[in-house]
Amino acid sequence: MAALLETKRDLIAMLARGAVRVLLAAAWIACGGAMAAADDSLYRAQTVVTGQGEPNRIVGFGACLEDVLIKVSGQPMLAGDHRLAAYKSKAKAFVSSFDYHDQYAGKPHHDEQGTRDRPYDLTVNFDEKKIDGILARLGLKPWRSQRPVLGVFAEMQHGPKDYVVTSDGTQSDLQRDALAAAAGKRGMRFVLPDTAALTSANLTAAELLKTPPAKLSSIVAAQGEATLLGRLVWDDKDLGWATQWRMAWHGKDYKWQFRGVTFDEAFRRGIGGAAQVLSGNGDPGRSK
């Protein structure tokens, strides 16, 4: 039953991501295997709204504002921060432009469905100076330095299945999509090892956590500049993934963990924690 529930939940996530699969594949090729978020996208965010009415648009502006503040600063602990409520309520004042994409474009309306009932991707661009001003009032600053490319090594264990997420393995399709979405949301770039590289290094999923970071970084040395190591284990009791993340940066080891989440959320927190470390915003293992 637990496995069935997980399958249903991840199937929903897969369908939601289906519309962007072609774009993700194109980005993968264009970046030579490193999924990237362009610099000019740091002040841009996207969310899904129902219809193009102003009430839903205002809610979408607020959600996108939170994402942009996190992305620009590199501080994931802003998620759900009560201090953002006042800014989100007037998020329209910080918007420079926005547009919609109909997820059902080219498909006929069903029954009495009108345009207001159709799901749209709302893409919002924010004014850079205004966003930087909000961050300053929150005691934060924009993370403007070059963001290192993350070499991500993630083990997925679900019952007898135990494997490393790779750039080319078919069993990693959903995880690659989730990592790409997480990286885009947090303004990060990443690269995954390919199957041949893991085989050449004689590295298996079971040995991943025991492997020295130097050996891992050498596997993606051509592109990865910082190494992020994760382990996700499915827990039937929590109906979610128990997750551990680890990275070393400037001579210090960082570890953070949580449980009972989807792998989409696990990757968001993994990439977000790495951004927090790299941007100098503290230790994700000691945050709230």
Side-chain angles (χ1 to χ4, degrees), residues 170-205:
T170 56
Q171 65 182 344
S172 302
D173 286 348
L174 294 179
Q175 287 75 30
R176 279 197 300 273
D177 284 355
L179 275 165
K185 199 176 187 68
R186 298 302 182 231
M188 297 297 295
R189 298 173 295 160
F190 76 97
V191 62
L192 292 168
D194 60 35
T195 303
L198 293 178
T199 301
S200 178
N202 197 29
L203 183 62
T204 65

Side-chain angles (χ1 to χ4, degrees), residues 70 72-77 139-148 188 247 249-250 252 254 272-284 287:
I70 293 172
V72 173
S73 66
Q75 177 52 284
M77 293 301 105
L140 297 168
K141 56 185 178 181
W143 179 20
R144 297 196 183 280
S145 59
Q146 180 67 35
R147 301 188 175 196
M188 297 297 295
M247 75 177 297
W249 186 246
H250 289 171
K252 183 176 179 180
Y254 297 88
Q276 183 177 346
V277 170
L278 296 171
S279 63
N281 277 307
D283 185 344
S287 303

